[in-house]
Amino acid sequence: MSANGWEPVVGLEIHVQLKTRTKMFCRCENVGGGEPNTRTCPVCLAHPGTLPVPNKRAIEWTVKLGLALGCDIAARALFHRKNYFYPDLPKGYQISQYDVPLASAGHFAVPGPDGADHVIGIVRAHLEEDAAKTIHVGGAAGRIHGAEASLVDFNRGGTPLVEIVTQPDVRSGEEARRFLQLLRQTVVELGISDAEMEKGSLRCDANVSVRRAGETGYRTKTELKNMNSFKFVADGIAAEVERQVGRYEHGEEVVQQTLHFDPQQGTIQPLRSKEEAHDYRYFPEPDLVAVEPPAGLVEAMRAGIGELPADRIRRLEAGVGFDLGYDLVTSGRDGLYARVPGDDRRAIANVLMNQLAAAGVDPEAVNGEELGKLGEARERIPRQAFLDALAASGDQDFAADRYLAETAVTDASALDPVIDAILAANPGQAEAYRGGKEGLLGFFVGQVMKETQGKADPRVVNERLREKLGA
């Protein structure tokens, strides 16, 4: 709820590329990247006389995702032709689903820090083919207006794509971010997509409007497109909400438009007006029969879902708090968290989400038992030695005991010669300390740490210095 009495009303449209071995309606390899226009065939290039053959695995995975979203699975779903022209659409239409999608009428619970779940309604999750990729080159920073040329790479054309449409139940940019992060983790755990926004395998558009608190209807909405990170989605929605509220409070109207959010400038720019919905002239795809998922298939997909991320967040919340539980799950680090022994679970979670993440270590490569040993030694070793050990914890032969023995100096007998040499080199400071200037202890500790390259145990250094300076 906005502080000045306005309520954001946001619906999301999310596209998820499925990582099937082949494309949606042909046998071309479904792999990102590569030389442009090398993963194509007469079917996905829409040569005359070719016929589509549906990808069975893509249908199964769409059913699985629909079940995870709490959707009803259609007993009989249809493919439709969505007719429009664009250079990256070789057929002149897209094979999609219209009024009879595979999954519909679902719900997705987003845990909140207040202990309550905000349930986002799912209108539909339907299966379609992705378009090719248009690349605008030259001119004004590659923008479509002012570009010198436009090129099309058809490698992406025909990739299986699930479009998820939510009800307008999202009430803030931050809630949209949490929803998308949780949805992404769900998709990744189902094993159906890499769901990487920066690579385009997960894409999101947001339909944004505002209304006065207590209003039940909907005002004019705008569409934010081309947002390629969770942060940009949250920031873009917040900026557009602020813009719309400002227009209404100045007696102006909001115009239905498609907009672009510039994350660097924090500004909203119009791409095109959108006075009315496109007429895509949907009609059933005449070259494909209806899809009728058998009951056995639906139950098999349901059995393969497992514990959903939202449920794990609530389970972890009691031990580490909501924020850490949410971060562990949506980053995929809760699996490692479960493998690390130790009583202070919040401290373990903090290490995983901060120092280990900062070190860029793959959590799947870390041995939980060895990381637990490292955590137990954390208070007994220098901070730098601990961080170095964390950075090495993903190595195949990493052993905490051996690594700490090699990198952390905790033996007083090994430290005494270093301390003695430093005291002998600084007699004036030593006398001043004995005369009452106890703050000089930090000076001596710093000298020892410098001499040992940060490997000395600060607690042992403190103890030995106090003993020697007090002698």
Side-chain angles (χ1 to χ4, degrees), residues 57-71 73 102-103 125 162 186-192 293 297-306 308:
R57 181 58 55 85
I59 293 171
E60 293 173 346
W61 283 357
T62 303
V63 169
K64 190 175 185 179
L65 177 57
L67 292 170
L69 295 174
C71 291
I73 304 302
L102 270 168
V162 177
T186 300
V187 167
V188 169
E189 291 182 15
L190 292 177
I192 65 176
L297 167 68
V298 174
E299 292 311 309
M301 293 298 103
R302 193 191 308 275
I305 290 175
L308 291 172

Side-chain angles (χ1 to χ4, degrees), residues 220-260:
T220 302
K221 68 180 179 182
T222 57
E223 184 181 27
L224 285 171
K225 295 187 74 72
N226 304 325
M227 297 178 289
N228 63 356
S229 79
F230 300 124
K231 183 179 186 304
F232 292 170
V233 171
D235 292 347
I237 291 172
E240 176 57 10
V241 167
E242 182 179 359
R243 187 189 73 87
Q244 290 190 20
V245 169
R247 290 190 67 85
Y248 284 131
E249 292 191 341
H250 285 86
E252 301 170 336
E253 291 299 314
V254 170
V255 178
Q256 187 171 351
Q257 292 176 306
T258 299
L259 305 169
H260 170 70

Side-chain angles (χ1 to χ4, degrees), residues 307-323:
E307 185 183 28
L308 291 172
D311 297 326
R312 290 209 307 284
I313 289 173
R314 286 302 184 213
R315 178 165 57 78
L316 292 175
E317 185 178 2
V320 300
F322 172 80
D323 289 340

